[in-house]
Amino acid sequence: MPTTSSIRLLLVEDHAMVAEAIGLALGRAPGIEVVAQAGTVAAALAAAARRRPDVVVLDRRLPDGDGVEAISRFAAVAPGARVLVLTGEASASVAARVVEAGGAGLLVKSSRLEELESAVREVAAGGVVFAPGLLPGVLDRLTGRVRSPGAALTARERETLRLLAEGASTDEIGARLGVARNTARNHVQHVLEKLGARSKLEAVAVARREGLLD
Protein backbone atom coordinates (compact mmCIF):
# COMPACT_ATOMS: atom_id res chain seq x y z
CA MET A 1 0.00 0.00 0.00
CA PRO A 2 1.45 3.40 -0.91
CA THR A 3 2.62 5.46 2.03
CA THR A 4 2.38 8.82 0.23
CA SER A 5 -0.27 10.56 -1.85
CA SER A 6 1.46 9.42 -5.04
CA ILE A 7 2.08 5.85 -6.17
CA ARG A 8 5.85 5.43 -6.46
CA LEU A 9 6.52 3.29 -9.52
CA LEU A 10 9.60 1.47 -10.82
CA LEU A 11 9.43 0.62 -14.52
CA VAL A 12 11.54 -2.32 -15.69
CA GLU A 13 11.67 -2.67 -19.47
CA ASP A 14 14.69 -3.30 -21.69
CA HIS A 15 13.27 -1.98 -24.97
CA ALA A 16 14.00 1.76 -24.97
CA MET A 17 11.03 2.87 -27.10
CA VAL A 18 8.55 0.79 -25.10
CA ALA A 19 10.03 2.04 -21.82
CA GLU A 20 9.83 5.64 -23.00
CA ALA A 21 6.19 5.32 -24.08
CA ILE A 22 5.09 3.63 -20.87
CA GLY A 23 7.16 5.93 -18.69
CA LEU A 24 5.75 9.07 -20.29
CA ALA A 25 2.16 7.80 -20.11
CA LEU A 26 2.33 6.72 -16.47
CA GLY A 27 4.40 9.74 -15.48
CA ARG A 28 1.63 12.03 -16.73
CA ALA A 29 -1.09 10.13 -14.86
CA PRO A 30 -2.36 11.95 -11.75
CA GLY A 31 -1.10 10.40 -8.54
CA ILE A 32 1.60 8.24 -10.16
CA GLU A 33 5.30 9.08 -9.95
CA VAL A 34 7.84 7.09 -11.96
CA VAL A 35 10.73 7.15 -9.49
CA ALA A 36 13.12 4.99 -11.53
CA GLN A 37 13.52 2.98 -14.72
CA ALA A 38 15.74 -0.02 -15.39
CA GLY A 39 16.48 -2.41 -18.25
CA THR A 40 17.84 -5.43 -16.40
CA VAL A 41 16.95 -7.46 -13.31
CA ALA A 42 20.17 -6.39 -11.58
CA ALA A 43 19.63 -2.68 -12.22
CA ALA A 44 15.98 -2.98 -11.20
CA LEU A 45 16.82 -4.62 -7.88
CA ALA A 46 19.36 -1.91 -7.14
CA ALA A 47 16.82 0.78 -8.01
CA ALA A 48 14.13 -0.91 -5.90
CA ALA A 49 16.42 -1.02 -2.88
CA ARG A 50 17.32 2.63 -3.34
CA ARG A 51 13.93 4.15 -4.27
CA ARG A 52 11.52 1.81 -2.43
CA PRO A 53 8.68 1.84 -4.99
CA ASP A 54 5.08 0.95 -4.19
CA VAL A 55 4.64 -0.82 -7.54
CA VAL A 56 7.11 -2.48 -9.90
CA VAL A 57 5.96 -2.82 -13.51
CA LEU A 58 8.21 -5.66 -14.62
CA ASP A 59 8.94 -6.96 -18.10
CA ARG A 60 8.83 -10.75 -18.16
CA ARG A 61 11.86 -11.27 -20.41
CA LEU A 62 14.97 -9.30 -19.53
CA PRO A 63 18.59 -9.63 -20.75
CA ASP A 64 19.82 -11.09 -17.47
CA GLY A 65 16.86 -13.21 -16.41
CA ASP A 66 13.21 -14.12 -16.21
CA GLY A 67 11.12 -11.41 -14.58
CA VAL A 68 8.79 -13.93 -12.95
CA GLU A 69 11.69 -15.65 -11.21
CA ALA A 70 12.89 -12.25 -9.93
CA ILE A 71 9.63 -11.36 -8.15
CA SER A 72 10.68 -12.78 -4.78
CA ARG A 73 13.94 -10.84 -4.97
CA PHE A 74 12.05 -7.56 -5.18
CA ALA A 75 10.20 -8.47 -1.99
CA ALA A 76 13.57 -8.94 -0.28
CA VAL A 77 15.07 -5.58 -1.30
CA ALA A 78 11.89 -3.47 -1.21
CA PRO A 79 9.40 -4.92 1.28
CA GLY A 80 5.86 -3.87 0.46
CA ALA A 81 6.51 -3.31 -3.24
CA ARG A 82 3.90 -5.04 -5.41
CA VAL A 83 4.91 -6.48 -8.77
CA LEU A 84 2.84 -6.27 -11.94
CA VAL A 85 4.34 -8.34 -14.78
CA LEU A 86 4.13 -7.34 -18.45
CA THR A 87 4.53 -9.99 -21.13
CA GLY A 88 4.22 -10.32 -24.88
CA GLU A 89 2.17 -13.50 -24.63
CA ALA A 90 0.16 -14.55 -21.60
CA SER A 91 -1.15 -17.96 -20.53
CA ALA A 92 -2.82 -19.28 -17.41
CA SER A 93 0.32 -21.28 -16.67
CA VAL A 94 2.53 -18.18 -16.69
CA ALA A 95 -0.05 -16.24 -14.67
CA ALA A 96 -0.09 -19.00 -12.06
CA ARG A 97 3.71 -18.76 -11.85
CA VAL A 98 3.35 -15.04 -11.17
CA VAL A 99 0.92 -15.69 -8.31
CA GLU A 100 3.06 -18.46 -6.84
CA ALA A 101 6.10 -16.14 -6.93
CA GLY A 102 4.20 -13.45 -5.03
CA GLY A 103 3.28 -11.18 -7.94
CA ALA A 104 0.15 -9.04 -8.02
CA GLY A 105 -0.82 -9.49 -11.64
CA LEU A 106 -0.02 -10.06 -15.29
CA LEU A 107 -0.89 -7.93 -18.32
CA VAL A 108 0.01 -8.34 -21.98
CA LYS A 109 2.03 -5.58 -23.62
CA SER A 110 -0.72 -5.08 -26.19
CA SER A 111 -2.97 -3.72 -23.41
CA ARG A 112 -3.98 -0.07 -23.77
CA LEU A 113 -2.05 2.41 -21.66
CA GLU A 114 -5.30 3.25 -19.87
CA GLU A 115 -5.58 -0.40 -18.84
CA LEU A 116 -2.02 -0.37 -17.56
CA GLU A 117 -2.64 2.78 -15.56
CA SER A 118 -5.79 1.27 -14.06
CA ALA A 119 -3.90 -1.92 -13.22
CA VAL A 120 -1.15 0.03 -11.47
CA ARG A 121 -3.73 1.78 -9.30
CA GLU A 122 -5.50 -1.49 -8.51
CA VAL A 123 -2.27 -3.24 -7.59
CA ALA A 124 -1.13 -0.29 -5.46
CA ALA A 125 -4.42 -0.47 -3.58
CA GLY A 126 -3.81 -4.13 -2.72
CA GLY A 127 -5.73 -5.79 -5.55
CA VAL A 128 -4.67 -8.22 -8.23
CA VAL A 129 -5.01 -7.79 -11.98
CA PHE A 130 -4.82 -10.33 -14.78
CA ALA A 131 -5.29 -10.05 -18.52
CA PRO A 132 -8.89 -10.94 -19.52
CA GLY A 133 -9.64 -14.64 -19.60
CA LEU A 134 -6.65 -15.76 -17.52
CA LEU A 135 -8.12 -15.83 -14.01
CA PRO A 136 -10.21 -19.03 -14.33
CA GLY A 137 -7.18 -20.95 -15.60
CA VAL A 138 -5.01 -19.51 -12.84
CA LEU A 139 -7.47 -20.66 -10.18
CA ASP A 140 -7.72 -24.12 -11.73
CA ARG A 141 -3.94 -24.52 -11.65
CA LEU A 142 -3.52 -23.15 -8.14
CA THR A 143 -6.25 -25.40 -6.76
CA GLY A 144 -4.89 -28.45 -8.59
CA ARG A 145 -7.90 -28.95 -10.85
CA VAL A 146 -5.68 -28.53 -13.90
CA ARG A 147 -2.02 -29.41 -13.95
CA SER A 148 0.46 -27.44 -16.00
CA PRO A 149 1.63 -29.51 -19.02
CA GLY A 150 5.17 -29.18 -17.74
CA ALA A 151 4.45 -30.43 -14.22
CA ALA A 152 5.10 -34.08 -15.12
CA LEU A 153 8.38 -33.48 -16.96
CA THR A 154 11.48 -34.87 -15.31
CA ALA A 155 14.66 -32.81 -15.06
CA ARG A 156 16.19 -34.73 -17.96
CA GLU A 157 13.05 -34.25 -20.04
CA ARG A 158 13.19 -30.51 -19.38
CA GLU A 159 16.78 -30.51 -20.64
CA THR A 160 15.59 -32.38 -23.72
CA LEU A 161 12.85 -29.82 -24.26
CA ARG A 162 15.33 -26.95 -24.08
CA LEU A 163 17.53 -28.67 -26.66
CA LEU A 164 14.52 -29.23 -28.92
CA ALA A 165 13.81 -25.49 -28.68
CA GLU A 166 17.38 -24.85 -29.85
CA GLY A 167 16.72 -27.01 -32.91
CA ALA A 168 18.85 -29.97 -31.84
CA SER A 169 18.33 -33.32 -33.56
CA THR A 170 17.88 -36.57 -31.63
CA ASP A 171 21.54 -37.46 -32.25
CA GLU A 172 22.64 -34.03 -31.03
CA ILE A 173 20.45 -34.36 -27.94
CA GLY A 174 22.05 -37.69 -27.16
CA ALA A 175 25.53 -36.21 -27.55
CA ARG A 176 24.74 -33.13 -25.44
CA LEU A 177 23.16 -35.19 -22.68
CA GLY A 178 25.78 -37.93 -22.86
CA VAL A 179 23.27 -40.72 -23.50
CA ALA A 180 22.71 -43.30 -26.23
CA ARG A 181 20.60 -42.36 -29.25
CA ASN A 182 17.77 -44.71 -28.18
CA THR A 183 17.70 -43.10 -24.75
CA ALA A 184 17.57 -39.63 -26.29
CA ARG A 185 14.77 -40.78 -28.58
CA ASN A 186 12.83 -42.04 -25.54
CA HIS A 187 13.29 -38.69 -23.80
CA VAL A 188 11.94 -36.88 -26.86
CA GLN A 189 8.96 -39.23 -27.06
CA HIS A 190 8.16 -38.73 -23.38
CA VAL A 191 8.29 -34.95 -23.82
CA LEU A 192 5.86 -35.15 -26.74
CA GLU A 193 3.48 -37.41 -24.84
CA LYS A 194 3.45 -35.29 -21.69
CA LEU A 195 2.89 -32.08 -23.62
CA GLY A 196 0.21 -33.66 -25.80
CA ALA A 197 2.20 -32.84 -28.93
CA ARG A 198 2.41 -34.76 -32.20
CA SER A 199 5.75 -33.35 -33.32
CA LYS A 200 8.88 -31.73 -31.96
CA LEU A 201 7.79 -28.40 -33.40
CA GLU A 202 4.40 -28.62 -31.72
CA ALA A 203 6.06 -29.57 -28.41
CA VAL A 204 8.20 -26.44 -28.55
CA ALA A 205 5.15 -24.33 -29.43
CA VAL A 206 3.20 -25.74 -26.45
CA ALA A 207 6.19 -25.20 -24.16
CA ARG A 208 6.55 -21.57 -25.22
CA ARG A 209 2.84 -20.93 -24.77
CA GLU A 210 2.95 -22.41 -21.26
CA GLY A 211 6.09 -20.54 -20.24
CA LEU A 212 8.22 -23.67 -19.88
CA LEU A 213 11.19 -22.30 -21.82
CA ASP A 214 11.71 -18.99 -19.98
Side-chain angles (χ1 to χ4, degrees), residues 69-107:
E69 293 180 355
I71 290 174
S72 61
R73 298 165 68 187
F74 282 98
V77 300
R82 309 202 73 220
V83 179
L84 174 65
V85 176
L86 287 182
T87 183
E89 297 180 5
S91 69
S93 178
V94 174
R97 284 181 57 210
V98 170
V99 175
E100 289 168 341
L106 177 75
L107 283 184

Side-chain angles (χ1 to χ4, degrees), residues 88-165:
E89 297 180 5
S91 69
S93 178
V94 174
R97 284 181 57 210
V98 170
V99 175
E100 289 168 341
L106 177 75
L107 283 184
V108 292
K109 289 186 177 182
S110 59
S111 300
R112 298 193 311 274
L113 289 171
E114 293 85 354
E115 292 176 305
L116 178 56
E117 178 188 336
S118 176
V120 167
R121 296 187 191 282
E122 179 68 22
V123 165
V128 295
V129 178
F130 288 96
L134 289 182
L135 195 54
V138 173
L139 294 175
D140 284 344
R141 280 167 170 76
L142 294 179
T143 57
R145 289 197 293 267
V146 175
R147 297 188 68 195
S148 167
L153 293 177
T154 66
R156 184 49 61 92
E157 288 162 0
R158 286 181 177 274
E159 291 180 65
T160 301
L161 177 59
R162 292 191 194 97
L163 292 173
L164 286 175

